[in-house]
Amino acid sequence: MMREYMKRYKFQGDYGLRLAFQAEFNQFLKEFDYDVLVPIPIAPHTWQTRGFNQTTALLTLPYTTALTTIANNKQKQSSKTRQERLKTPQIFRLTQPQKIIHQRVLLVDDVYTTGRTLYHAAVLCHQAGCLEVKSATLVS
């Protein structure tokens, strides 16, 4: 059922489906001890195609846009094999490191598949001097 949900929500752009899990997901996020909530960004071409970031659309809690994508590759993660995903080089850069330095960061994404996306984001947060980095996803 979640596969069908994500297909309709992310890939067919059914923005209204964000409401199906929004309240419960935000309540779940409140259970974490964090200072800054940082959603995983999407690539500009994905934004142009979809019209929304599926992760930030789920959020009602305040968040900081501290990351942006740097990858020029237009191949979506969802179209890659597990091995291809695990070999993906760093795809993010920090846009506002001053907002996360000496902070406890909670990274948020919609789906955890191989963990590579969250790994890349966490590496940058640690390099910037975050006190702690945790992650939460809607689906794993």
Side-chain angles (χ1 to χ4, degrees), residues 49-66:
T49 303
R50 187 179 301 146
F52 65 95
N53 177 324
Q54 71 280 358
T55 301
T56 59
L58 289 167
L59 299 175
T60 57
L61 298 169
Y63 62 86
T64 298
T65 307

Side-chain angles (χ1 to χ4, degrees), residues 13-138:
D14 191 342
Y15 188 69
L17 285 177
R18 77 192 185 288
L19 300 174
F21 296 103
Q22 193 176 61
E24 293 84 358
F25 188 54
N26 283 273
Q27 191 60 41
F28 168 68
L29 296 176
K30 288 179 183 179
E31 295 176 16
F32 288 83
D33 288 326
Y34 66 90
D35 302 311
V36 181
L37 188 69
V38 177
I40 296 297
I42 59 173
H45 65 274
T46 303
W47 180 266
Q48 290 171 348
T49 303
R50 187 179 301 146
F52 65 95
N53 177 324
Q54 71 280 358
T55 301
T56 59
L58 289 167
L59 299 175
T60 57
L61 298 169
Y63 62 86
T64 298
T65 307
L67 298 167
T68 190
T69 59
I70 58 171
N72 293 327
N73 184 355
K74 293 187 178 184
Q75 184 182 10
K76 295 180 180 182
Q77 286 289 94
S78 60
S79 68
K80 294 180 181 179
T81 66
R82 177 175 176 76
Q83 290 306 315
E84 289 171 329
R85 288 178 189 218
L86 291 172
K87 291 178 185 176
T88 303
Q90 180 60 266
I91 57 173
F92 302 119
R93 74 174 171 81
L94 283 171
T95 57
Q96 300 184 60
Q98 71 279 7
K99 291 194 175 185
I100 62 171
I101 191 168
H102 305 303
Q103 301 294 316
R104 296 172 301 156
V105 171
L106 179 60
L107 297 170
V108 181
D109 204 359
D110 61 334
V111 177
Y112 181 101
T113 305
T114 62
R116 194 67 175 170
T117 302
L118 290 167
Y119 169 80
H120 284 306
V123 164
L124 290 177
C125 290
H126 284 297
Q127 289 173 346
C130 292
L131 295 176
E132 181 179 71
V133 181
K134 295 179 181 179
S135 65
T137 59
L138 177 65

